Amino acid sequence: MAKGTTVRMWRRTIFVLMVLIVLGFGSLVVSLFRLQIVEGEELQTRAVNQQTQDTTLTAKRGTIYDRNMKVLATSADVYKVVLDPNYVRKELEQGQERDGIQEEIAQGLGEILDMDPADILALLEKQTYYAVAKTKVETDVKDQILEFKTKLELGNAIQLQPDYKRYYPYGSFASAVLGFTNSENQGVTGVEASYNDYLSGVAGKLVTAKNAKGSDMPFQYEQRIEAQDGYSLVLTIDEVVQHFLEKSVEEA
């Protein structure tokens, strides 16, 4: 009698264990299916966004010519001033007596760029390898920055990356036809706007990895996708004829 009861208890125990195992594995399979199949693409996208950081690389806008290939609108070379706070912190200060180097950079660069040194210091305190200080910097300012870098032996602490600024050699000539671009280098009116998709090109991308704290990983983890410059455009306008026409209209 006792032996039969024991056998039945073992059977019940095994049955309960089997049910629990089946339910456990079943819920696990359901969870895996949901995470990998149902929500897999969304979760993968979120993971990539959390682990990487994208930086846009500006494309050079196409040139606009008159019928005789005289330049009516072009993109002049300017520069983007980029700071590398992690380089300043780890490479310059580690093992060297350079206390206050961040303040010295902020003060000197602030004077050159006509910026508040406190704003530059705030950028230098970030946990990143890439912090934009200013865009559309002209060549004369670039030369001052290079001289400043050499004087303080800053290495890659300050980087100058190529950028572009729209330039019209003849000033307001045919402005109603040519139009103009905004601060984002996109056409707003005139030919600049009508043919914006052709002129603007395709921006590139610099992808860097981030760690769990949100700080950039070293440069060996970066991937660079080069920008594609925009197409140029040739108009039927003759610059000489147009100049005489505009002058005559102004006199009239």
Side-chain angles (χ1 to χ4, degrees), residues 173 240-252:
F173 168 78
V240 176
V241 174
Q242 182 73 18
H243 260 125
F244 278 112
L245 177 62
E246 291 188 5
K247 183 179 180 180
S248 299
V249 171
E250 184 178 353
E251 292 176 351

Side-chain angles (χ1 to χ4, degrees), residues 40-50:
E41 185 174 350
E42 178 185 354
L43 293 174
Q44 186 176 13
T45 301
R46 288 169 57 185
V48 170
N49 291 336
Q50 289 177 354

Side-chain angles (χ1 to χ4, degrees), residues 62-167:
T63 302
I64 301 177
Y65 300 93
D66 82 339
R67 62 185 300 174
N68 299 312
M69 300 305 291
K70 291 183 179 180
V71 176
L72 303 180
T74 187
S75 293
D77 292 337
V78 289
Y79 299 88
K80 181 185 297 182
V81 182
V82 178
L83 304 177
D84 186 341
N86 283 356
Y87 181 91
V88 176
R89 191 164 32 252
K90 296 177 182 178
E91 300 296 331
L92 295 180
E93 295 183 351
Q94 186 175 0
Q96 301 183 37
E97 295 181 358
R98 302 199 64 170
D99 293 336
I101 187 62
Q102 291 176 319
E103 289 76 9
E104 193 171 357
I105 293 174
Q107 186 63 39
L109 199 58
E111 293 178 1
I112 296 174
L113 297 177
D114 192 23
M115 292 178 60
D116 187 342
D119 294 336
I120 298 177
L121 188 60
L123 293 175
L124 289 170
E125 291 174 349
K126 289 186 175 182
Q127 296 286 337
T128 181
Y129 283 90
Y130 192 96
V132 178
K134 196 168 186 177
T135 60
K136 312 300 181 185
V137 169
E138 302 288 349
T139 302
D140 58 335
V141 178
K142 178 207 74 171
D143 293 339
Q144 294 180 51
I145 294 174
L146 290 176
E147 183 179 350
F148 178 67
K149 283 181 59 178
T150 303
K151 180 181 178 180
L152 293 186
E153 299 179 352
L154 295 177
N156 289 327
I158 304 174
Q159 301 165 31
L160 293 162
Q161 298 182 350
D163 201 356
Y164 306 102
K165 178 180 179 180
R166 205 57 169 168
Y167 173 65

